Amino acid sequence: MSERDDRLQHLEALRRLDVEPFGNRFDGASSIGSVVAGYGSETEGKTATVAGRITAHRSFGKAAFLDLRDWTGKVQVYVKKDAVGEAVHAWFQHVGIGDVLAATGTLGKTKTGEITLFATSLTLLTKALRPLPEKWHGLKDPEIRTRRRYLDLIANPEVQQKFLKRARALMGIRRFLDARGYVEVETPMMQAVAGGAAARPFITHHHALDRDLYLRIALEIPLKKLMVGGLERVYEIGRVFRNEGIDTQHNPEFTMLELYHAYGDLRTMMDLVEALVANVAQEITGTAKLPFGERTVDVTPPWPRRDYFELIKTHADLDPSDEDALRAKLQDRRVETAGLTRIDLLDKVFGEYVEPHLVDATYVCNQPLEMTPLCREHRERPGLADRFEAYAGCMEIANAYTELNDPLEQRKRLVRQMKAAGDEMVREGRIDEDFLTALEHGMPPAGGLGIGIDRLLMIVTNSASIREVILFPMLRDES
RNA sequence: GAGGGCGUAGCUCAGUGGUAGAGCAACGGUCUUUUAAACCGUGGGCCGUGGGUUCAAUCCCCACCGCCCUCACCA
């Protein structure tokens, strides 16, 4: 007989006692956190009602202690036969760990000093037909934790707290941007051309139109069209989809913030992003020095501004213009260098030798222009991009440009990039002609910014894997 | 895609070439202030899936599936 069968028998027993095992709306419960936090001489002996899931059950026959947990906290409930009455006590025998219960009673402390609700009445809200993971060791199996996240959320309260932090962080970001005059917009996720980045897109099919569509890989192109349309400060927080590998820093769908600011430039974005990140860190953790694994990530503004080539020179100890030296450095780390362009080599050397040093929040500036077809060229230094990437915790968390608004130059750069990327890109990521047409109508000079929200949240919530900050990360089908 | 590790009860984990164990959870019992409640008793397993070796496989070998790590890929 499985535990499920046992619980089905309890279910029948409850029905025989005329107790509905799957209750309806329940009003009037206080949050457990507020009841516990507000406990004092004024509330002692007063009546309170709470509702939540039973996470522990210590029974003595005619009396029992329950741990009742809601999303604000946990409180002990004392259920005594004399206090709740014979009828309630009868059906209470069929209530167990995992069930959802409401309890009304008087607040007090037990002789061991624990704040306890001494129940006078109980309402069964939901009978659980399956057991909870074990109380002491919790739920550890990473596969069950992500595949059946609801169990993870119940069994590991800190996981629930983490996702509540995520929600608060998103609210905080919106409040921050709204206060500075930015307007949130929504643009299509299904696009005829997946532009704005160089990732491989997901393809889907629209039956009525009988055509393939791409899931967006970035937000950039439609948002810039809105800049042309005179929406001077826009942002979008939304899912983007990239058909690429999965690891601790990559999930096929992830959340990006992109933001554009008319009449601004790179410097506008620098001021903004460091204030935004520090603000989120402060709101969520109360500090700008964030514990992250073994280390601490300091996001206190102003962030140091470093030069891309100087960083490579310093940390890889070579001349960045010397391709052979770059190759040799990569081969030291057994990185395959065959067929790589100079830009690829630089990028890999940067990832291999520089990134591990970028613990505290840092701006990396003056990257080669070839990497960024949508970015304006540096005003004084031809060949370089007017761009920064923000790093923290050895991860790229933000990327910003002074946006390219010359439509003729933009066309050249997109064509060049497409040719460089080869046939596959030509097929999958054609040029968005309407984007170029829009630019020809005139886009004001602007600063633009992208933030990988999931990675930012990894740092803010001290999470080693992106899977820890995404409720339902991508998994293969269960076998 | 490559290499390595893992997969045993609902959960956390032991274990052995001879048909499987603990703790918690569950069920029955005693118990009206416990908190990993305690005590007595009971049930629960295609040992990831499929093949092979063997008298005999959960264990050894092969393949497959899934998860994790490292690498590759990755604006």
Side-chain angles (χ1 to χ4, degrees), chain A residues 61-74:
Chain A
K62 295 194 179 68
F65 292 92
L66 307 177
D67 287 348
L68 207 63
R69 187 191 300 279
D70 72 7
W71 67 349
T72 66
K74 185 186 84 175

PDB file of all heavy atoms in Angstrom, chain A residues 61-74:
ATOM      1  N   GLY A  61      -1.732  11.973  20.686  1.00  0.00           N
ATOM      2  CA  GLY A  61      -3.047  11.373  20.868  1.00  0.00           C
ATOM      3  C   GLY A  61      -4.113  12.433  21.028  1.00  0.00           C
ATOM      4  O   GLY A  61      -4.761  12.820  20.064  1.00  0.00           O
ATOM      5  N   LYS A  62      -4.267  12.925  22.245  1.00  0.00           N
ATOM      6  CA  LYS A  62      -5.320  13.917  22.480  1.00  0.00           C
ATOM      7  C   LYS A  62      -4.819  15.342  22.284  1.00  0.00           C
ATOM      8  O   LYS A  62      -5.566  16.304  22.467  1.00  0.00           O
ATOM      9  CB  LYS A  62      -5.893  13.751  23.883  1.00  0.00           C
ATOM     10  CG  LYS A  62      -6.617  12.412  24.078  1.00  0.00           C
ATOM     11  CD  LYS A  62      -7.443  12.420  25.344  1.00  0.00           C
ATOM     12  CE  LYS A  62      -8.181  11.107  25.549  1.00  0.00           C
ATOM     13  NZ  LYS A  62      -7.234   9.964  25.833  1.00  0.00           N
ATOM     14  N   ALA A  63      -3.556  15.492  21.938  1.00  0.00           N
ATOM     15  CA  ALA A  63      -3.008  16.830  21.666  1.00  0.00           C
ATOM     16  C   ALA A  63      -1.921  16.697  20.608  1.00  0.00           C
ATOM     17  O   ALA A  63      -1.343  15.620  20.430  1.00  0.00           O
ATOM     18  CB  ALA A  63      -2.429  17.445  22.931  1.00  0.00           C
ATOM     19  N   ALA A  64      -1.657  17.763  19.900  1.00  0.00           N
ATOM     20  CA  ALA A  64      -0.626  17.698  18.864  1.00  0.00           C
ATOM     21  C   ALA A  64      -0.064  19.090  18.594  1.00  0.00           C
ATOM     22  O   ALA A  64      -0.762  20.100  18.756  1.00  0.00           O
ATOM     23  CB  ALA A  64      -1.211  17.130  17.571  1.00  0.00           C
ATOM     24  N   PHE A  65       1.193  19.104  18.205  1.00  0.00           N
ATOM     25  CA  PHE A  65       1.824  20.344  17.754  1.00  0.00           C
ATOM     26  C   PHE A  65       2.006  20.274  16.242  1.00  0.00           C
ATOM     27  O   PHE A  65       2.473  19.265  15.730  1.00  0.00           O
ATOM     28  CB  PHE A  65       3.184  20.529  18.407  1.00  0.00           C
ATOM     29  CG  PHE A  65       3.107  20.784  19.875  1.00  0.00           C
ATOM     30  CD1 PHE A  65       3.166  19.730  20.771  1.00  0.00           C
ATOM     31  CD2 PHE A  65       2.966  22.071  20.357  1.00  0.00           C
ATOM     32  CE1 PHE A  65       3.088  19.966  22.127  1.00  0.00           C
ATOM     33  CE2 PHE A  65       2.892  22.310  21.716  1.00  0.00           C
ATOM     34  CZ  PHE A  65       2.951  21.259  22.608  1.00  0.00           C
ATOM     35  N   LEU A  66       1.644  21.337  15.560  1.00  0.00           N
ATOM     36  CA  LEU A  66       1.864  21.422  14.120  1.00  0.00           C
ATOM     37  C   LEU A  66       2.816  22.576  13.842  1.00  0.00           C
ATOM     38  O   LEU A  66       2.806  23.576  14.557  1.00  0.00           O
ATOM     39  CB  LEU A  66       0.557  21.733  13.389  1.00  0.00           C
ATOM     40  CG  LEU A  66      -0.642  20.847  13.650  1.00  0.00           C
ATOM     41  CD1 LEU A  66      -1.831  21.386  12.876  1.00  0.00           C
ATOM     42  CD2 LEU A  66      -0.322  19.431  13.238  1.00  0.00           C
ATOM     43  N   ASP A  67       3.610  22.448  12.803  1.00  0.00           N
ATOM     44  CA  ASP A  67       4.269  23.618  12.230  1.00  0.00           C
ATOM     45  C   ASP A  67       3.464  24.000  11.008  1.00  0.00           C
ATOM     46  O   ASP A  67       3.261  23.182  10.110  1.00  0.00           O
ATOM     47  CB  ASP A  67       5.711  23.303  11.820  1.00  0.00           C
ATOM     48  CG  ASP A  67       6.619  23.164  13.036  1.00  0.00           C
ATOM     49  OD1 ASP A  67       6.185  23.531  14.148  1.00  0.00           O
ATOM     50  OD2 ASP A  67       7.757  22.683  12.870  1.00  0.00           O
ATOM     51  N   LEU A  68       2.981  25.230  11.007  1.00  0.00           N
ATOM     52  CA  LEU A  68       2.193  25.717   9.884  1.00  0.00           C
ATOM     53  C   LEU A  68       3.014  26.785   9.173  1.00  0.00           C
ATOM     54  O   LEU A  68       3.485  27.732   9.810  1.00  0.00           O
ATOM     55  CB  LEU A  68       0.877  26.307  10.417  1.00  0.00           C
ATOM     56  CG  LEU A  68      -0.323  26.302   9.477  1.00  0.00           C
ATOM     57  CD1 LEU A  68      -0.711  24.876   9.125  1.00  0.00           C
ATOM     58  CD2 LEU A  68      -1.509  27.009  10.135  1.00  0.00           C
ATOM     59  N   ARG A  69       3.171  26.622   7.876  1.00  0.00           N
ATOM     60  CA  ARG A  69       4.032  27.539   7.133  1.00  0.00           C
ATOM     61  C   ARG A  69       3.261  28.215   6.006  1.00  0.00           C
ATOM     62  O   ARG A  69       2.565  27.552   5.236  1.00  0.00           O
ATOM     63  CB  ARG A  69       5.203  26.767   6.524  1.00  0.00           C
ATOM     64  CG  ARG A  69       6.253  27.651   5.863  1.00  0.00           C
ATOM     65  CD  ARG A  69       7.238  26.842   5.061  1.00  0.00           C
ATOM     66  NE  ARG A  69       7.975  25.865   5.847  1.00  0.00           N
ATOM     67  CZ  ARG A  69       9.036  26.156   6.580  1.00  0.00           C
ATOM     68  NH1 ARG A  69       9.490  27.366   6.635  1.00  0.00           N
ATOM     69  NH2 ARG A  69       9.653  25.213   7.264  1.00  0.00           N
ATOM     70  N   ASP A  70       3.362  29.528   5.927  1.00  0.00           N
ATOM     71  CA  ASP A  70       2.913  30.223   4.723  1.00  0.00           C
ATOM     72  C   ASP A  70       4.131  30.930   4.130  1.00  0.00           C
ATOM     73  O   ASP A  70       5.250  30.716   4.581  1.00  0.00           O
ATOM     74  CB  ASP A  70       1.743  31.178   5.011  1.00  0.00           C
ATOM     75  CG  ASP A  70       2.148  32.424   5.795  1.00  0.00           C
ATOM     76  OD1 ASP A  70       3.358  32.642   6.018  1.00  0.00           O
ATOM     77  OD2 ASP A  70       1.245  33.192   6.184  1.00  0.00           O
ATOM     78  N   TRP A  71       3.917  31.787   3.135  1.00  0.00           N
ATOM     79  CA  TRP A  71       5.105  32.335   2.443  1.00  0.00           C
ATOM     80  C   TRP A  71       5.743  33.478   3.220  1.00  0.00           C
ATOM     81  O   TRP A  71       6.693  34.089   2.746  1.00  0.00           O
ATOM     82  CB  TRP A  71       4.791  32.702   0.998  1.00  0.00           C
ATOM     83  CG  TRP A  71       3.848  33.844   0.775  1.00  0.00           C
ATOM     84  CD1 TRP A  71       3.072  34.483   1.706  1.00  0.00           C
ATOM     85  CD2 TRP A  71       3.602  34.486  -0.459  1.00  0.00           C
ATOM     86  NE1 TRP A  71       2.353  35.460   1.120  1.00  0.00           N
ATOM     87  CE2 TRP A  71       2.654  35.495  -0.226  1.00  0.00           C
ATOM     88  CE3 TRP A  71       4.081  34.315  -1.764  1.00  0.00           C
ATOM     89  CZ2 TRP A  71       2.180  36.319  -1.226  1.00  0.00           C
ATOM     90  CZ3 TRP A  71       3.601  35.144  -2.755  1.00  0.00           C
ATOM     91  CH2 TRP A  71       2.674  36.127  -2.484  1.00  0.00           C
ATOM     92  N   THR A  72       5.241  33.756   4.411  1.00  0.00           N
ATOM     93  CA  THR A  72       5.898  34.772   5.244  1.00  0.00           C
ATOM     94  C   THR A  72       6.594  34.172   6.445  1.00  0.00           C
ATOM     95  O   THR A  72       7.355  34.862   7.114  1.00  0.00           O
ATOM     96  CB  THR A  72       4.882  35.808   5.755  1.00  0.00           C
ATOM     97  OG1 THR A  72       3.963  35.152   6.658  1.00  0.00           O
ATOM     98  CG2 THR A  72       4.102  36.435   4.609  1.00  0.00           C
ATOM     99  N   GLY A  73       6.322  32.908   6.743  1.00  0.00           N
ATOM    100  CA  GLY A  73       6.988  32.336   7.897  1.00  0.00           C
ATOM    101  C   GLY A  73       6.304  31.094   8.406  1.00  0.00           C
ATOM    102  O   GLY A  73       5.470  30.495   7.730  1.00  0.00           O
ATOM    103  N   LYS A  74       6.677  30.740   9.614  1.00  0.00           N
ATOM    104  CA  LYS A  74       6.233  29.482  10.198  1.00  0.00           C
ATOM    105  C   LYS A  74       5.782  29.748  11.625  1.00  0.00           C
ATOM    106  O   LYS A  74       6.387  30.569  12.332  1.00  0.00           O
ATOM    107  CB  LYS A  74       7.415  28.507  10.206  1.00  0.00           C
ATOM    108  CG  LYS A  74       7.091  27.113  10.675  1.00  0.00           C
ATOM    109  CD  LYS A  74       8.357  26.288  10.790  1.00  0.00           C
ATOM    110  CE  LYS A  74       9.046  26.527  12.123  1.00  0.00           C
ATOM    111  NZ  LYS A  74      10.216  25.660  12.330  1.00  0.00           N
TER     112      LYS A  74
END
